[in-house]
């Protein structure tokens, strides 16, 4: 089964917690804090697997989680960082955030990999919090949670040439003639219900890949018939072969078919509608008259397109067409679906990066604080411990929460809520 669209859940590992520990050595009086730091949680990567050609594995497993980092230990022993999780996908896989539809990666090259979810940083042990006035801190940081997302994986075939046209116009027969592919062929519509790939040998020049795309029908760009299930697969092709039945045996109007298909391409993607296109007038071996072909010739000339007469069934005209395709491909650059701006290192938010990423709103008499800066502090502090609470309030003031609350009108006795934590304000 060919699977080209799935939704999965993935999460990076949580950082290990920092340790609360004190030295207990023989002959050493009043040993100080020696709690070690927690290890980093595992990142989640997606990597191209050259042996995979569908996303079918993701139909049976939809949840992926990297390991958590180990907790710190006494004697300043660091917790072990978790191994990163690598998820194999076929070449041509686009990874999107299911919530925002943002494209996170376009894995178009064999061996390519992309960091999608960052593991949480390990918490600091209590050895880091000793000061001149707090010589025996009895608190440590919890590890940061790892990033998590619902992800969409979308496979877009990487073919040089895409065969397009209405159902039953001879695309599959043509593919079987020029490659070793064995697509299903029959005299009824929608014989092809999933894309077929075939590799053309160097007989016609450099080798290239042809994709037989399921037949397009009117309304396909809006989801009618096989809809966008096939349209996504021709986005990366460099050259389109537009097959049109000129035999007249099914009573179709070749001119209307040509216009309808191109209108669907334009509706789906303006860029795709401008892709280099060759008109292939097929089934000339059973052609009733030449009027249809003559009309197509006029359209091809008007649109500056090349047109060929062939019979995919008998092989007439195929040799000339294939040579032209091979020569044309040499002049066309590789087509990539998207361009993602990449930096040398992915930006991962840390508390110290920004002290203003929070908001204060008053709802039903309660001051509600929301934002990444304060959320990260709350998640890493044990609010049941007195010393931890003191540290929490100190860090919240450092990021400017004290000033922000006063500016919002907080008074003694008011309730302030941060995440699931509520406190009574005292000035």
């Amino acid at each position: 089964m060919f699977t080209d669209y799935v939704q999965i859940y993935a999460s990076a590992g949580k950082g290990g917690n920092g340790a609360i520990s004190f030295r207990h050595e023989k002959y050493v009086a009043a040993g100080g804090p020696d709690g070690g730091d927690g290890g980093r949680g595992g990142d989640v990567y997606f990597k191209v697997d050259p042996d995979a050609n569908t996303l079918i594995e993701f139909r049976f497993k939809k949840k992926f989680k990297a390991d958590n980092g180990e907790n710190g230990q006494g004697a300043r022993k660091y917790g072990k960082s978790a191994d990163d999780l690598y998820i194999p996908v076929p070449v041509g896989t686009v990874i999107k955030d299911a919530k925002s539809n943002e494209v996170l990666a376009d894995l178009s090259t064999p061996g390519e990999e992309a960091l999608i979810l960052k593991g949480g940083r390990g918490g600091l042990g209590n050895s880091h919090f000793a000061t001149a006035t707090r010589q025996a801190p009895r608190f440590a940081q919890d590890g940061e949670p790892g990033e998590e997302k619902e992800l969409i994986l979308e496979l877009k075939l990487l073919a040089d040439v895409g065969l397009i046209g209405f159902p039953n116009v001879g695309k599959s027969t043509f593919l079987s003639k020029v490659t070793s592919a064995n697509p299903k062929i029959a005299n009824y519509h929608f014989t092809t219900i999933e894309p077929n790939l075939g590799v053309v040998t160097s007989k016609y020049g450099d080798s290239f890949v042809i994709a037989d795309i399921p037949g397009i029908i009117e309304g396909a760009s809006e989801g009618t018939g096989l809809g966008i299930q096939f349209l996504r697969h021709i986005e990366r092709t460099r050259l389109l072969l537009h097959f049109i039945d000129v035999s007249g045996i099914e009573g179709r109007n070749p001119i209307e078919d040509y216009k309808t298909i191109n209108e669907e391409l334009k509706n789906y993607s303006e860029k795709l509608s401008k892709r280099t296109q060759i008109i292939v007038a097929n089934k000339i071996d059973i052609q009733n008259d030449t009027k249809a072909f003559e009309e197509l010739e006029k359209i091809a000339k008007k649109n500056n397109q090349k047109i060929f007469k062939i019979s995919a069934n008998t092989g007439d005209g195929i040799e000339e067409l294939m040579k032209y395709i091979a020569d044309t491909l040499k002049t066309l650059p590789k087509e990539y679906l998207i361009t993602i701006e990449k930096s040398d290192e992915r930006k991962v938010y840390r508390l110290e990066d920004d002290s203003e990423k929070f908001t204060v709103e008053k709802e039903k008499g309660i001051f509600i604080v929301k934002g990444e800066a304060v959320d990260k502090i709350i998640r890493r502090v044990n609010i049941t411990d007195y010393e931890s609470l003191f540290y929490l309030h100190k860090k919240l003031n450092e990021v400017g929460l004290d000033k922000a609350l006063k500016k919002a009108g907080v008074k003694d006795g008011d309730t302030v809520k941060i995440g699931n934590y509520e406190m009574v304000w005292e000035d």
Side-chain angles (χ1 to χ4, degrees), residues 158-377:
L158 295 178
D160 300 292
V161 180
L163 309 184
I164 61 172
F166 271 85
N168 202 31
V169 293
K171 302 188 303 297
S172 297
T173 302
F174 173 78
L175 185 71
S176 68
K177 291 283 187 180
V178 299
T179 74
S180 58
N182 294 301
K184 184 179 179 181
I185 301 171
N187 189 29
Y188 55 86
H189 291 175
F190 291 115
T191 305
T192 302
I193 58 174
E194 60 186 43
N196 292 301
L197 288 180
V199 180
V200 175
T201 63
S202 58
K203 174 182 177 181
Y204 303 105
D206 295 335
S207 295
F208 54 89
V209 178
I210 295 181
D212 173 19
I213 308 300
I216 303 175
I217 63 174
E218 189 171 3
S221 59
E222 299 174 356
T224 303
L226 297 176
I228 60 172
Q229 291 183 40
F230 73 84
L231 283 168
R232 70 165 62 97
H233 292 300
I234 57 177
E235 286 185 280
R236 297 182 195 262
T237 56
R238 296 188 282 160
L239 180 64
L240 298 177
L241 297 190
H242 188 164
F243 272 69
I244 297 177
D245 180 358
V246 294
S247 67
I249 61 172
E250 291 193 13
R252 302 196 63 88
N253 184 324
I255 310 305
E256 290 302 315
D257 284 358
Y258 172 87
K259 292 179 179 178
T260 299
I261 295 297
N262 278 285
E263 188 64 26
E264 292 303 321
L265 294 180
K266 185 176 181 180
N267 290 340
Y268 179 74
S269 166
E270 186 73 28
K271 183 178 179 182
L272 187 59
S273 69
K274 296 177 181 178
R275 191 70 37 86
T276 302
Q277 185 178 135
I278 297 172
I279 302 174
V280 181
N282 191 28
K283 301 187 181 182
I284 59 171
D285 55 315
I286 53 175
Q287 188 177 20
N288 291 329
D289 59 59
T290 62
K291 291 182 180 179
F293 177 75
E294 291 169 357
E295 288 297 317
L296 279 177
E297 276 189 312
K298 294 178 182 177
I299 291 178
K301 185 176 181 180
K302 179 182 178 181
N303 296 326
N304 197 28
Q305 293 174 329
K306 191 74 173 177
I307 185 170
F308 286 84
K309 293 189 298 184
I310 73 162
S311 169
N313 188 44
T314 65
D316 289 348
I318 289 181
E319 188 78 23
E320 181 185 3
L321 171 61
M322 295 305 295
K323 186 178 185 309
Y324 182 81
I325 292 171
D327 291 340
T328 301
L329 285 175
K330 293 176 183 178
T331 68
L332 301 176
K334 289 286 186 180
E335 180 66 30
Y336 291 97
L337 175 68
I338 51 178
T339 300
I340 301 175
E341 293 185 5
K342 296 181 179 179
S343 58
D344 294 336
E345 182 177 354
R346 181 178 171 185
K347 175 67 174 176
V348 179
Y349 176 78
R350 298 299 182 200
L351 178 61
E352 55 270 23
D353 290 341
D354 195 331
S355 62
E356 298 180 354
K357 287 195 173 181
F358 64 85
T359 60
V360 178
E361 299 176 0
K362 189 175 182 180
E363 297 180 9
K364 297 180 180 180
I366 298 177
F367 290 84
I368 299 176
V369 182
K370 298 178 181 179
E372 192 68 16
V374 292
D375 286 348
K376 280 186 175 287
I377 298 174

Side-chain angles (χ1 to χ4, degrees), residues 369-388:
V369 182
K370 298 178 181 179
E372 192 68 16
V374 292
D375 286 348
K376 280 186 175 287
I377 298 174
I378 290 289
R379 288 198 297 261
R380 305 192 69 184
V381 172
N382 178 8
I383 62 175
T384 63
D385 176 74
Y386 176 78
E387 283 191 272
S388 295

